[in-house]
Amino acid sequence: MPGPLPKGTRYTFTADSIILSSARTLSDLLSHIPGVYVARGGWYGEPEIVLYGGRGPSSLEIYWDGMPMQPLGRDSVYLDPARIPLGPIERVDVIILPASLQVYLVTAQHRPTAPRTQVGIVSGQADIADYRAGYATRTRSGFGVSLLVDWASIGTTSPVITTPPFGTSDIWVKADYVPSGGRVGASFQLSSASWHRDSASDGRVDGWRQDRRDRMLRLFVAERDDGLGWRFTATLGTSAISHDTLVARRTTSAAILEASQTWRAASVSGVARFGAAGAPQQFEARAGWVPLSPITLAGSFRQSFYVGNRYGWRTFGSAGLTLPLGFSARAEVAWQEDAEAPLVTTDPMHRTLDVAGWLRFENRRVTVEVGRGRRDPFAPLGFAAGIKTVDSLNPTPLTEFVAAHATLHVAPGFTLSGWFFDPVIGGGDFEPPRHGRVSATFYSKFWRVFKSGIFALRGEVAMESWSRSALGGLDTAGVRRAMTGSSFVDTNLEMQLAGVTLFWSVTNINIMRSSYVEGLGYPKSAQQYGARWFFTN
């Protein structure tokens, strides 16, 4: 992971926080980031496009074990995070830039020599069904194998919900060899995702079938096994889509070389990515440094070369200062002259300069961070193919925003948290004013009753709300669409007993009649429930 970074720059979701939440997709997880709007085409199986900073497709970069994930096929402009399986992921790191998000997905690595099996079952309304089976083992010599298979589907729902029948199957296989000492190793993984969506009877949702295959081979050698010292990594990866009803089979590939040096208070790394079949060539440098205990400096630089003799630049810098009494501050600046979608050869370079400043207070009971930023004008490229009612987005004017997020530990086990975002000047499509998310959570392991700590209970009530906006995209005729003010309340109840997790979640429990995208429906009081077991032999 890049670092060190100033406080507040990175959000981290661990395996426990992914399991103990109602997030079924990566888009659900990213909705916890201040300022993120998820344009949901309907319920489960529909597109869930993550929009941030009015930057269209360039606002989101996703890396799977260091390999950039490119949108392919019919969705070759916007990458839909809802179609990226969370089952193999044990950690998600999100680095917040003034107008974009860098998401690093880290796949699971089974470390003990005792084999582990997992089984999951989910059911609910509209004939929702989700079945998961997994197995992982490791030998004493350092050879390990992990396998995870997911089948999920949803049946026919009410016509007003715009969620036609949908089915998906995800298969992930990983084999790795890391001998004793942990200074050399190799891994190979295969991820296969297939989905099929039927057409809606009213024509608002197109049918879509697609298979995606991602393969990756990684080799590394390091000076030490504790993360310090030099490290060299080589990666070969391919991504392919097939069986799409509108586009032909497409394959891209890339080779990545990365060298890094890490000290206790600093790190520096260089990455060279050599793409083929449309994937860009990129050269990137990152550094982080703590010259004095209260000061943290971090930055990155990247140059990209695209098909058609196009090239772009991106730079980012941040500085953090730790102040007395639990206060800290950080400043961020990002400059780019780059393309939005690497595979769109007609996309010109876009030049922007974005800045933001944040003030943070943190102690054992409360964490509060407030900030203000400015983003340059920008013209987003098209829109996601899966949401038929919106054809394109309006150009985003010069925007100034205020944002805040806070966490309050009211009592042992009881926490209030939330975030708020408001484009006070300007603002783009799907960047509604007074947009926020608040939640009340109870979580306890009941140590006095179960001394071994094998029992845990977690309950959450969360609400996402935003004000009315006239910026909801453009339809095929160029007519501007609006956004209605909405508030959606979700509940989630989970119980853990040793390796078993039982959960029951309800979406839109307040029976809101609105939706995330005008003209598309969203379910009322939709329930899901299920269980996951982890067995260790």
Side-chain angles (χ1 to χ4, degrees), residues 46-354:
E46 291 305 293
E48 298 177 3
I49 306 302
V50 170
L51 299 166
Y52 180 78
R55 294 298 161 84
S58 65
S59 66
L60 185 65
E61 299 178 20
I62 298 181
Y63 299 85
W64 181 286
D65 280 346
M67 177 68 70
M69 296 195 70
Q70 302 287 356
L72 300 174
R74 205 183 311 183
D75 55 344
S76 60
V77 176
Y78 285 80
L79 186 65
D80 186 355
R83 301 281 69 83
I84 299 175
L86 279 180
I89 304 302
E90 71 173 9
R91 178 185 171 107
V92 178
D93 278 88
V94 184
I95 296 180
I96 312 296
L97 278 64
S100 62
L101 305 175
Q102 294 180 344
V103 182
Y104 295 87
L105 308 177
V106 181
T107 58
Q109 182 184 28
H110 184 66
R111 295 167 178 83
T113 56
R116 187 181 73 169
T117 304
Q118 64 167 305
V119 177
I121 299 175
V122 178
S123 187
Q125 292 179 262
D127 295 328
I128 278 186
D130 189 346
Y131 304 98
R132 175 177 297 179
Y135 178 76
T137 185
R138 181 170 297 279
T139 65
R140 295 183 181 275
S141 63
F143 179 75
V145 175
S146 299
L147 169 67
L148 187 69
V149 181
D150 251 322
W151 299 273
S153 64
I154 184 172
T156 304
T157 60
S158 170
V160 299
I161 299 179
T162 65
T163 303
F166 173 83
T168 180
S169 61
D170 300 312
I171 302 174
W172 176 74
V173 181
K174 182 179 182 180
D176 63 80
Y177 177 67
V178 184
S180 178
R183 290 183 293 175
V184 296
S187 70
F188 174 78
Q189 59 178 297
L190 168 65
S191 178
S192 173
S194 302
W195 64 85
H196 180 252
R197 180 189 305 139
D198 291 347
S199 300
S201 57
D202 57 8
R204 289 185 291 174
V205 177
D206 287 335
W208 192 346
R209 178 182 177 181
Q210 191 174 101
D211 297 343
R212 176 164 179 151
R213 307 286 185 270
D214 293 277
R215 302 175 180 86
M216 188 189 309
L217 173 65
R218 302 185 72 202
L219 309 169
F220 83 89
V221 58
E223 180 182 3
R224 300 168 52 154
D225 62 353
D226 59 357
L228 299 178
W230 58 264
R231 180 184 179 97
F232 180 79
T233 305
T235 306
L236 294 174
T238 63
S239 300
I241 61 102
S242 60
H243 297 106
D244 194 298
T245 54
L246 289 183
V247 297
R249 177 183 176 89
R250 185 171 194 174
T251 302
T252 62
S253 58
I256 302 176
L257 301 176
E258 179 174 2
S260 64
Q261 175 72 41
T262 303
W263 301 272
R264 295 193 179 277
S267 72
V268 61
S269 65
V271 183
R273 304 184 182 99
F274 303 95
Q281 323 287 331
Q282 294 181 329
F283 301 94
E284 183 173 349
R286 296 191 296 253
W289 183 32
V290 183
L292 300 172
S293 58
I295 300 175
T296 303
L297 304 175
S300 64
F301 169 81
R302 184 175 75 195
Q303 184 175 18
S304 303
F305 298 89
Y306 305 102
V307 175
N309 295 321
R310 301 174 302 148
Y311 60 91
W313 311 76
R314 292 195 185 196
T315 61
F316 170 71
S318 64
L321 177 64
T322 301
L323 303 170
L325 303 177
F327 287 93
S328 62
R330 78 176 191 273
E332 303 169 336
V333 58
W335 179 87
Q336 71 169 20
E337 187 174 357
D338 208 354
E340 291 187 65
L343 300 181
V344 180
T345 58
T346 57
D347 181 29
M349 301 297 108
H350 302 261
R351 179 181 295 181
T352 58
L353 176 64
D354 310 302

Side-chain angles (χ1 to χ4, degrees), residues 19 116-119 132 498-501 532-536:
I19 293 176
R116 187 181 73 169
T117 304
Q118 64 167 305
V119 177
R132 175 177 297 179
V500 182
T501 302
R532 293 190 177 95
W533 294 267
F534 288 90
F535 306 94
T536 301

